[in-house]
Structures are given as structure tokens and as C-alpha cells.
Amino acid sequence: MKQEVREPALYNAIITAIATGASRMVEISAKVDEDTSVCATYLRNLMELGLVQKETPYGEKASRKSIYAIGDNMFQFWYRFAPENNSIISRGAADLVYKRIEPYLSDYTGKVFEEICRQYLWKLLLNGESPVQFKELGRWWGTDPSTRSQAEIDIMGEQDKDTALFGECKWTNEKVDAGVLETLIRRSKIFRYGEVYLYLFAKNGFTKGCMEVAGRMENVTLVQYKELLEKITG
């Protein structure tokens, strides 16, 4: 950081704010105690360096719902866990550091898992195995009109105005149940695609009920973590 920028302290503060949960401009500004205009300039520089990325809901080119995220998993891990444990790390207490960060590792790894799932879908496309010829993949968030509540879709990719895929990624020790699939089905109907393909990704597999629901449908693919890695690395 010192090699790339003149004021590393504020840059570090902004990256730390994002890594620890501040994703919107107003939240980042409040955490680092700087005006949004100042933060905007620093964020542009961080995006040029590839350390931060700006995300908008899939299909929206410019949106007030835009958020910021760390663009590199190593930086995300470091700025999420290292600064607040720096004194313990410097004393070599590795076991104590792990004990402190272990409760939050699943959340961190869940975001990484989403990226691996996107790589899997890109691999299908490049191998000619994808039912949807998407041009890009992204995340969507907004209001679900059926429940009038905020909703999020982990992965979304459109072929054209009639065909798209939707994916949900679950990094949990429990098997994914039918309720997760049913939620994905409902959220896919927020959009008006005639042909929809659904992908459910899981760390530790699926319950019998989930597999039964998926088995009755012709547009659902269930993918376990091991299968996913084999596809990407094979």
C-alpha cells in the first residue's frame, strides 16, 4: 500500500471499513469519519488498483443501491481479521488468534464459495454444457414484491429477455433443505423470464426432501462442493 499511495492510513481505514461490513458510501464515510466526497476519491483510486470493486444489482447499470466490496480474497481476509488481532499475532499466539476468528470464518468463506460457484458456471459455459448462454454473472438484491421484503439472489445470468439462470450458494454444515430451493424458485419469479434454470450449491449436500423437489423439476441442478471442485480443477 505504501508503494502505491501517498496516504496509506486513510486507504487502510477505508479497506478495513469495507472488510468489516461497511458496504455503502454513507457507511464507509461514517466509519472512517470523512466526508463522502473525500471517500469517493479514495474509493476510485482503490478500484483502479483492483483492491475494491463497485457492485450494482444484476441488470442495473447505475443504481443508488450500489455497494463496495474488497476485490481480492487475500485482502478481504487480512483486513477483516489481522488489524484487530495484530497485538496477539505479533506475540505468536496462533491458537488464540484462531479461537477469536473461528466464529466468523464461515461467513468469510461463504463469500469465497459464491465466487467458486460462479467459476463452476463459467466452466460449464466454456465447455458447452450450460443450458443458458449468459454473457455475465452477477448478484441481485432488491425488493421481493410477493413478500414486500428485501431479497437477494447469489448468482444470476441472462441469455436474453426470455432465458436466465439463478443460483443459491449455501456454505453451511447442515444439508440444504427444500425450503432453500423453494425460496430460490419464488425469487426467480420476481423476473419475467419464460425459461429459467436453477442451480443450488451446497457445502455438505442436500436433504432427501430437497432432492425430491428437485427431482420433480426439469430445470433444477443440485451441486455439492466436491463435484464443484472436480469440475473446476478437472
Side-chain angles (χ1 to χ4, degrees):
M1 187 66 71
K2 290 179 180 178
Q3 294 176 343
E4 297 290 346
V5 299
R6 293 182 180 180
E7 300 177 63
L10 183 52
Y11 281 103
N12 279 324
I14 290 173
I15 296 174
T16 301
I18 298 172
T20 53
S23 59
R24 301 182 186 279
M25 178 69 77
V26 65
E27 297 170 343
I28 298 167
S29 175
K31 271 206 170 185
V32 302
D33 196 24
E34 281 286 355
D35 291 339
T36 55
S37 59
V38 174
C39 289
T41 299
Y42 281 72
L43 283 167
R44 278 196 298 271
N45 294 337
L46 288 170
M47 286 189 285
E48 289 177 2
L49 291 172
L51 301 180
V52 170
Q53 59 189 23
K54 186 177 183 179
E55 296 183 56
T56 56
Y58 186 91
E60 299 183 25
K61 299 303 180 184
S63 172
R64 286 183 293 179
K65 293 186 287 186
S66 295
I67 61 173
Y68 295 88
I70 306 301
D72 182 279
N73 289 328
M74 183 192 74
F75 273 79
Q76 173 66 28
F77 183 89
W78 176 266
Y79 281 92
R80 172 65 182 85
F81 299 116
E84 64 182 28
N85 292 292
N86 190 49
S87 296
I88 302 173
I89 293 170
S90 66
R91 287 166 173 76
D95 290 343
L96 179 56
V97 174
Y98 180 78
K99 185 177 180 180
R100 287 170 61 90
I101 70 175
E102 194 273 336
Y104 309 100
L105 282 176
S106 182
D107 181 61
Y108 163 78
T109 309
K111 299 299 182 183
V112 178
F113 184 51
E114 288 180 19
E115 176 56 34
I116 296 173
C117 294
R118 284 190 284 270
Q119 292 177 18
Y120 170 90
L121 292 171
W122 276 110
K123 186 80 170 183
L124 290 185
L125 179 71
L126 297 176
N127 287 350
E129 300 170 357
S130 175
V132 178
Q133 305 303 302
F134 57 86
K135 304 173 187 65
E136 61 179 346
L137 294 173
R139 199 157 56 93
W140 179 88
W141 59 95
T143 302
D144 182 343
S146 67
T147 61
R148 297 182 181 179
S149 61
Q150 289 298 298
E152 182 177 322
I153 297 173
D154 291 337
I155 302 175
M156 180 176 173
E158 180 186 84
Q159 174 176 308
D160 49 43
K161 296 302 179 182
D162 191 59
T163 307
L165 66 78
F166 298 88
E168 179 73 16
C169 313
K170 290 297 182 183
W171 186 259
T172 62
N173 291 327
E174 298 78 24
K175 292 182 182 296
V176 173
D177 62 24
V180 175
L181 176 55
E182 289 163 357
T183 297
L184 181 60
I185 293 169
R186 187 185 71 247
R187 290 179 179 172
S188 72
K189 293 178 181 178
I190 294 173
F191 306 87
R192 303 299 182 185
Y193 296 105
E195 191 171 2
V196 169
Y197 294 87
L198 306 176
Y199 286 83
L200 200 54
F201 299 94
K203 175 185 178 182
N204 284 324
F206 309 89
T207 64
K208 181 180 178 181
C210 184
M211 290 187 286
E212 288 176 349
V213 173
R216 294 195 293 267
M217 304 177 69
E218 297 181 353
N219 64 332
V220 177
T221 302
L222 305 180
V223 186
Q224 293 191 52
Y225 179 55
K226 290 182 179 180
E227 301 173 49
L228 188 152
L229 284 185
E230 288 173 2
K231 172 63 71 172
I232 293 175
T233 59

